[in-house]
């Protein structure tokens, strides 16, 4: 058990299991995108370790770019709106794979998909290290999922709790 800020966490997915699964996802991508040079669009900050491990295991030609989402309160009833920052690459005609750390409610991914689709890629798919199916409210098609997990807070391998924990080499779950 480890402590980060005020909370305790137990190990949930060890590094070996996690990285073996990520290598499998890379194999699937090699197969699905043979001869197509996909553009990986990794969502910062949380996906940086996942995408590094994934890309190291991809054997076909591929490219990478990084984006951030800024979150601000929209006016009136629109609520939270997320805007993509840093997407300077030409997307039109590309085979895009969006790389996320975790899909929870699905709001972030739905918003992202809408904005990237508007740039007319040839194809667009999602790879996420973790998915919480029970928490997902907006259905999004997740082609590459590392692990489907229960609806509990996790950290490590890029995911943080209030800024800390991103450097942990495996996934930890909030202790009971
Ligand atoms: P969604 O829009 O799908 O609800 O949320 C996605 C974002 O919420 C993720 O990219 C991540 O930043 C954050 N998030 C959701 N669940 C967790 C979790 O269990 N742990 C951490 N560290 N972040 C999470």
């Amino acid at each position: 058990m480890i402590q980060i800020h005020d909370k305790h966490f137990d190990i949930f997915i060890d590094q070996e299991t996690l990285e073996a699964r990520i290598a499998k996802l890379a194999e699937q991508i090699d197969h699905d995108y043979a001869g197509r040079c996909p553009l990986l669009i990794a969502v910062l900050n949380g996906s940086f370790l996942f995408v590094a491990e994934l890309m190291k295991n991809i054997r076909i030609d591929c490219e990478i770019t990084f984006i951030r989402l800024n979150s601000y309160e929209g006016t009136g009833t629109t609520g939270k709106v997320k805007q993509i920052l840093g997407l300077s690459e030409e997307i039109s005609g590309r085979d895009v794979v969006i790389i996320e750390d975790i899909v929870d409610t699905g709001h972030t991914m739905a918003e992202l998909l809408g904005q990237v689709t508007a740039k007319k890629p040839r194809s667009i798919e999602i790879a996420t290290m973790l998915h919480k199916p029970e928490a997902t409210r907006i259905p999004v098609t997740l082609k590459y999922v590392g692990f489907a997990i229960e609806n509990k807070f996790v950290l490590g391998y890029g995911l943080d709790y209030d800024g800390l924990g991103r450097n942990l080499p495996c996934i930890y779950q909030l202790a009971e």
Side-chain angles (χ1 to χ4, degrees):
M1 174 148 0
I2 56 163
Q3 181 168 358
I4 303 276
H5 295 300
D6 57 327
K7 294 197 172 15
H8 292 90
F9 294 86
D10 292 319
I11 197 156
F12 180 51
I13 305 171
D14 65 59
Q15 185 174 3
E16 202 186 335
T17 307
L18 187 58
E19 292 183 350
R21 179 68 192 133
I22 296 172
K24 283 278 173 212
L25 296 182
E27 265 180 41
Q28 270 180 268
I29 289 173
D30 280 348
H31 174 265
D32 295 349
Y33 291 89
R36 283 161 66 194
C37 193
L39 173 65
L40 311 183
I41 301 183
V43 186
L44 293 173
N45 292 328
S47 74
F48 78 107
L49 287 184
F50 171 50
V51 78
E53 189 63 23
L54 184 71
M55 202 173 180
K56 275 195 289 177
N57 282 279
I58 292 178
R59 297 284 166 261
I60 58 166
D61 284 349
C62 61
E63 294 178 26
I64 189 167
T65 190
F66 296 89
I67 57 170
R68 267 173 183 278
L69 294 173
N70 89 334
S71 189
Y72 59 91
E73 297 297 325
T75 53
T77 56
T78 52
K80 274 220 163 84
V81 182
K82 293 188 176 184
Q83 188 186 38
I84 298 179
L85 299 179
L87 191 55
S88 50
E89 263 71 13
E90 183 60 58
I91 300 300
S92 137
R94 298 297 308 264
D95 291 303
V96 165
V97 185
I98 296 180
I99 313 286
E100 252 293 23
D101 49 1
I102 185 164
V103 174
D104 186 19
T105 64
H107 278 104
T108 307
M109 195 44 84
E111 185 76 35
L112 246 174
L113 262 181
Q115 292 189 37
V116 178
T117 302
K119 295 180 185 293
K120 308 232 181 309
R122 182 161 85 159
S123 67
I124 183 163
E125 298 291 354
I126 297 164
T128 185
M129 179 169 69
L130 302 172
H131 178 215
K132 293 179 177 170
E134 290 161 28
T136 304
R137 297 285 167 267
I138 302 198
V140 278
T141 304
L142 305 173
K143 183 145 190 195
Y144 307 101
V145 177
F147 294 90
I149 62 169
E150 56 192 314
N151 191 10
K152 281 192 192 166
F153 188 80
V154 289
L155 91 172
Y157 218 84
L159 286 155
D160 74 314
Y161 168 43
D162 213 3
L164 297 182
R166 293 195 198 275
N167 53 320
L168 294 166
C170 45
I171 303 287
Y172 286 79
Q173 189 177 54
L174 191 61
E176 293 298 329

